[in-house]
Amino acid sequence: MSPFQYTDFPELANVDTHTAHHGNRLEDLRLVTGTGKYTADWNLPGQLYACFVRSDRAHAEIVSVDVSGARQHPGVARVYTGEDALRAGYDKFFVIVNWPGRGGEHMKKPARPSLAVGKVRHVGDAVAMVIADSPVAAQDAAELVTVEYRDLPAVVTVEEAMAEGAPQLHDDAPGNLSFDFEGGSEDAVKAALANAAHVTRARLEITRVAPSPLELRASNVEYDAQADVYHVYTCIQGINMLRKQLSFATDVPEEKIIVHAQDVGGSFGQRSAAYPEHCMQMLAARELGKPVKWVSTRAEGFMTDTHGRANTVTGELALDRDGKFLGLRIDWLADMGAYLSATGSASHTRNPNACMTGVYRIPALYGRFRLIFTNTVPVAAYRGAGRPDIAYVIERLVSQAAAELKLDPAELRRRNFLPPEAFPYKTPTGSTYENADMPAILEKALGLADWKGFPKRRAQSEKQGKLRGIGIATVIENTGAGLFPKDQVAIECGADGTVTAYTVAHSSGQGHETTFAMVIAGALGIPIEKVRVREGIHDKGLIGNHTGGSRSLVGAGSVCKLAAQKLIEQGRSRAAEELDVEPSQVEYSHGAFHTRGSKKHVRLADLAKNGPFATMTEASVGSTFPNGCHIAEVEIDPETGTTRIAAYNTVDDAGNVINHSVVEGQVHGAVMQGAGQIFCEKVVYDQDTGQLMTGSFMDYCMPRAGMLPDIHIVDHPLPSGNNALGAKGVGEAGCTASLPALANAMMDALRPLGIQHLDMPFTPATVWGAIRAARKN
């Protein structure tokens, strides 16, 4: 079957996919031929250039900042310091979390000047900004800024930061604790653990990673003095999300900030936030009367773009004599870095709490989540935003429990699944899972992976001197939530028959221009070539959420369908006048209105010839819960510690699938990112000095295509009833399941040697060292 025969979504069965033949996306030609437009491509008349002076130490008092040499350098327009940031009132940034924590205490949100004042708190903290008439002049002048520091001890791990007598990053966050949050019932879990026949315990590191989108972070800011409006050109995940944050940080009303973006080269959560650079460029553009452009270097990206994950979690799983789960206790230490980001705190409290039961019936749950400041780059949402982390903890515990009890890990899961008849299921931590059929998904995945044939494959590997392991993960995640209460989509029909849709959800590689166009073309019954999707157009004044949390198709995509249907209904009465009949007699199909038994018809384009033919539709969508099962096999060379992913199989319930090629691309890419974290990615800081040791791709290892030469992806759609498309989202599913599936496969391969625990990343050196130590024992 061609991927463009949509048995999952019958309304799309008649879509003409000539342009999108063979699975090609509508936007691909532009993107792969170099004709896209990214932030660095925006150039404005008379623009100046910014360069930032950054701290070369992790924790120090600022004794003085001497900018006299830089000011005198040819081409320099101005040099800004932290005092200028304070003068402008730029000392705060938006944080999503606004709910109380343990004991009713609220989050500590220390000030963060856009340029450091008094102290620097991580390597890369911005101390000054030089504005000049060329990038080279700005860089040369920045080297003439002299900063005198008084060094302070640094802490780069949560354990160090929490220790008695540890250096304090912020005076108003004693003990370096920003937030102490809890979910579930502590007493219920204590009782479950006390009455358990078996308790599995593990302490797991979910490493700090650098998201590293292909496009470097950049921005160009222009101030229109006559209109008193700022134009911000930057890489984003949505114009409304960024505008709201910039308004909060600068006290400029939202309506006075216009955000512009076209193509965005990757985001993964890192592009959802306002950064200090944005704010200082706004200040300089207003005071100097010229646009101010800044493009990061990759080195700056490593030490200033928000990082991801960075959690240390202790878990305890209680089981009865039959292997049924009784309770789960989680102690979660989240490294927030030196400052709070907009999304990091929510990612490591709300999201894991929402899915703490996983896909299992666990009567008693309790999680304690502590957010800790360290002298490192701030942490924000990263593909999955806490959901892969909690799935990793749960699934590692379940597979470890199976090994300890000498049970098949698939069978232990089967015994504890939430059965299909339990849905909708209210979890002990307050979430309501809509629907899932984990038993069916498991059986499909076991068949796809030839689970029963694994012993034979393991024996074949052993004959070749290799270790082979199989790992499984059955997961669920909450998606669809947004910062704004609803999503709006506008549709306009032109006299040439072109239908243009406007949305504020912003693609950074997800393929919105194709998927949304397919939804609209399917609803209108017109060729997909006739549909154009435009994102982030400020003039339309649309309310809506940014792209993130696997919500774009669920939210904006669903509203695209509703808007197309509304356009038909609006057109019916206008067509009735043209056809000289009652509206109730008018039928619609394939882009035209007609009456039964008559050859006369009125096309959508005809209705636009006599004036604007447009509509705007909005809707609020509820959370959805995509779920699935991933099974991985690995083969390890014990003499070198190198690992090969021998097989990878996925069965995912993403609800109704609109475009299989896009879904497969999302799953494949997310699995690759998970594999990168499992096998090679890790941000490393020197424990004594706080210096970043992985500040380039020479030291920070990224996943390569050869790591995952083959992957089998299968759908198991159970439609959602919470949105018009029946979609559940898929953008993060691959990360959520691949972390535990691959780690469990590694432990399955190593456990026969007596190796009971290893943390990610499973680098050749780590694996070889563990094998060598086990052989010595």
Side-chain angles (χ1 to χ4, degrees):
M1 176 181 290
S2 162
F4 284 89
Q5 293 175 14
Y6 302 99
T7 56
D8 298 336
F9 195 40
E11 288 179 280
L12 296 182
N14 296 320
V15 173
D16 181 347
T17 57
H18 175 73
T19 300
H21 66 287
H22 303 307
N24 294 337
R25 303 183 312 169
L26 300 178
E27 52 269 79
D28 284 349
L29 181 63
R30 179 180 80 251
L31 299 178
V32 302
T33 56
T35 55
K37 189 167 188 176
Y38 298 89
T39 301
D41 297 322
W42 292 99
N43 289 296
L44 303 172
Q47 68 188 20
L48 300 172
Y49 299 85
C51 182
F52 289 86
V53 178
R54 302 189 183 277
S55 170
D56 60 358
R57 55 207 71 197
H59 199 197
E61 294 177 353
I62 300 174
V63 178
S64 64
V65 180
D66 184 356
V67 301
S68 57
R71 283 175 176 159
Q72 295 171 13
H73 190 272
V76 169
R78 184 154 180 180
V79 181
Y80 288 84
T81 67
E83 297 304 320
D84 296 300
L86 287 185
R87 168 177 57 82
Y90 294 179
D91 64 349
K92 59 188 180 301
F93 284 86
F94 178 78
V95 177
I96 289 176
V97 171
N98 60 2
W99 51 84
R102 201 163 183 252
E105 290 290 318
H106 283 268
M107 173 178 284
K108 307 284 194 310
K109 300 179 181 179
R112 183 188 185 183
S114 294
L115 294 175
V117 176
K119 282 174 69 172
V120 291
R121 294 177 174 84
H122 70 90
V123 172
D125 216 352
V127 177
M129 176 180 70
V130 177
I131 307 295
D133 59 11
S134 73
V136 172
Q139 292 171 23
D140 288 346
E143 293 181 4
L144 300 176
V145 175
T146 302
V147 184
E148 182 183 352
Y149 296 103
R150 184 179 298 113
D151 287 332
L152 297 170
V155 287
V156 297
T157 68
V158 290
E159 292 88 352
E160 289 178 311
M162 295 173 66
E164 186 175 352
Q168 299 297 290
L169 272 75
H170 303 279
D171 293 340
D172 47 354
N176 294 316
L177 179 65
S178 172
F179 195 40
D180 192 347
F181 177 77
E182 64 181 351
S185 171
E186 187 172 16
D187 290 339
V189 171
K190 283 182 179 178
L193 291 168
N195 295 324
H198 181 84
V199 178
T200 291
R201 296 180 173 87
R203 181 183 180 279
L204 298 162
E205 293 286 341
I206 303 156
T207 47
R208 173 185 284 261
V209 293
S212 305
L214 188 62
E215 181 186 9
L216 294 168
R217 188 158 59 89
S219 48
N220 199 342
V221 178
E222 181 179 35
Y223 176 67
D224 182 341
Q226 187 173 357
D228 189 26
V229 166
Y230 295 85
H231 292 268
V232 180
Y233 301 80
T234 191
C235 37
I236 58 169
Q237 292 179 220
I239 61 173
N240 289 348
M241 176 75 161
L242 183 62
R243 187 173 59 177
K244 185 179 185 69
Q245 293 181 64
L246 289 176
S247 175
F248 181 90
T250 64
D251 293 320
V252 174
E254 287 188 44
E255 63 272 17
K256 296 294 185 179
I257 301 173
I258 299 177
V259 178
H260 304 265
Q262 185 171 307
D263 296 312
V264 178
S267 55
F268 315 119
Q270 197 181 70
R271 300 300 190 238
S272 64
Y275 282 87
E277 291 86 355
H278 288 128
C279 300
M280 292 309 300
Q281 286 174 266
M282 287 175 66
L283 178 62
R286 178 167 60 84
E287 294 188 343
L288 299 176
K290 292 184 177 182
V292 176
K293 183 175 183 177
W294 170 74
V295 180
S296 171
T297 65
R298 185 61 69 181
E300 281 182 292
F302 272 106
M303 61 184 177
T304 64
D305 292 5
T306 55
H307 289 169
R309 312 282 190 240
N311 296 301
T312 301
V313 185
T314 300
E316 298 172 280
L317 179 63
L319 302 90
D320 69 11
R321 296 186 185 281
D322 297 321
K324 290 292 188 70
F325 301 158
L326 301 175
L328 173 68
R329 179 160 63 195
I330 298 292
D331 186 11
W332 188 294
L333 302 177
D335 185 347
M336 289 288 97
Y339 306 100
L340 294 173
S341 68
T343 58
S345 50
S347 299
H348 297 124
T349 52
R350 179 187 63 189
N351 288 351
N353 185 66
C355 295
M356 204 191 306
T357 197
V359 293
Y360 310 108
R361 192 190 294 275
I362 308 178
L365 297 174
Y366 178 70
R368 186 181 182 188
F369 306 84
R370 284 174 283 179
L371 310 186
I372 313 299
F373 290 117
T374 63
N375 293 115
T376 59
V377 170
V379 169
Y382 171 60
R383 198 168 190 170
R387 304 170 188 90
D389 312 61
I390 188 63
Y392 181 76
V393 173
I394 295 169
E395 293 301 298
R396 282 287 301 258
L397 284 169
V398 173
S399 285
Q400 182 177 321
E404 292 170 354
L405 296 172
K406 295 181 171 53
L407 290 172
D408 182 315
E411 173 57 26
L412 183 59
R413 286 169 168 81
R414 190 182 288 114
R415 292 183 189 182
N416 288 281
F417 279 150
L418 290 164
E421 61 269 18
F423 296 91
Y425 178 73
K426 183 72 175 288
T427 74
T429 53
S431 298
T432 299
Y433 292 175
E434 183 188 6
N435 57 22
D437 189 354
M438 292 311 303
I441 285 176
L442 175 64
E443 295 312 312
K444 185 181 285 189
L446 294 176
L448 184 67
D450 186 19
W451 183 267
K452 292 181 179 178
F454 175 71
K456 182 179 179 180
R457 296 192 294 277
R458 172 175 263 177
Q460 291 171 341
S461 293
E462 288 176 353
K463 288 180 182 179
Q464 299 170 8
K466 305 292 178 63
L467 305 172
R468 196 176 187 106
I470 192 166
I472 185 171
T474 48
V475 303
I476 195 166
E477 56 178 345
N478 57 312
T479 67
L483 186 63
F484 297 92
K486 58 188 174 183
D487 293 282
Q488 294 178 337
V489 169
I491 292 184
E492 298 175 355
C493 184
D496 62 351
T498 299
V499 174
T500 304
Y502 299 88
T503 173
V504 295
H506 210 101
S507 176
S508 54
Q510 293 88 349
H512 293 174
E513 291 176 48
T514 298
T515 307
F516 292 177
M518 290 177 65
V519 170
I520 294 167
L524 295 177
I526 62 176
I528 194 171
E529 298 95 330
K530 289 292 186 180
V531 181
R532 300 287 180 267
V533 175
R534 304 208 43 202
E535 302 174 301
I537 305 300
H538 172 83
D539 294 347
K540 297 300 175 182
L542 297 175
I543 297 171
N545 288 282
H546 69 301
T547 293
S550 302
R551 75 170 318 279
S552 291
L553 185 64
V554 172
S558 290
V559 183
C560 283
K561 179 182 178 182
L562 297 175
Q565 292 173 337
K566 184 177 178 181
L567 190 73
I568 293 172
E569 290 309 307
Q570 285 186 190
R572 194 182 303 277
S573 59
R574 293 174 64 171
E577 294 179 13
E578 297 284 337
L579 297 169
D580 195 25
V581 296
E582 292 295 323
S584 60
Q585 297 177 275
V586 177
E587 297 180 356
Y588 175 87
S589 64
H590 304 293
F593 298 92
H594 56 86
T595 59
R596 186 173 299 175
S598 171
K599 294 183 179 181
K600 188 177 180 182
H601 66 272
V602 177
R603 297 174 302 160
L604 289 173
D606 296 331
L607 296 179
K609 290 178 180 177
N610 297 324
F613 182 33
T615 189
M616 190 278 289
T617 305
E618 63 183 42
S620 298
V621 300
S623 288
T624 59
F625 290 87
N627 53 87
C629 177
H630 289 207
I631 299 176
E633 284 187 45
V634 298
E635 190 177 66
I636 302 170
D637 182 346
E639 301 307 314
T640 63
T642 56
T643 298
R644 177 177 72 91
I645 300 175
Y648 200 96
N649 299 278
T650 82
V651 177
D652 284 298
D653 171 14
N656 281 333
V657 173
I658 306 304
N659 184 313
H660 283 277
S661 294
V662 168
V663 166
E664 289 170 10
Q666 288 289 300
V667 173
H668 195 165
V671 169
M672 276 297 296
Q673 283 186 272
Q677 184 166 5
I678 288 295
F679 291 113
C680 59
E681 290 190 63
K682 183 179 181 179
V683 173
V684 178
Y685 285 91
D686 181 80
Q687 196 157 347
D688 294 327
T689 65
Q691 288 295 321
L692 179 62
M693 307 299 289
T694 49
S696 76
F697 290 135
M698 294 291 288
D699 304 298
Y700 185 86
C701 184
M702 293 288 284
R704 273 80 167 169
M707 289 177 65
L708 190 64
D710 196 18
I711 181 172
H712 297 95
I713 299 170
V714 172
D715 301 328
H716 189 90
L718 196 61
S720 169
N722 289 337
N723 60 83
L725 293 177
K728 290 182 178 176
V730 75
E732 295 156 323
C735 270
T736 300
S738 63
L739 292 179
L742 289 165
N744 284 336
M746 292 298 294
M747 294 312 304
D748 184 61
L750 296 170
R751 201 171 278 117
L753 302 181
I755 300 170
Q756 299 303 320
H757 180 77
L758 275 183
D759 276 315
M760 63 172 78
F762 293 83
T763 63
T766 298
V767 173
W768 180 82
I771 293 172
R772 187 181 183 195
R775 285 174 171 173
K776 284 184 177 180
N777 294 331

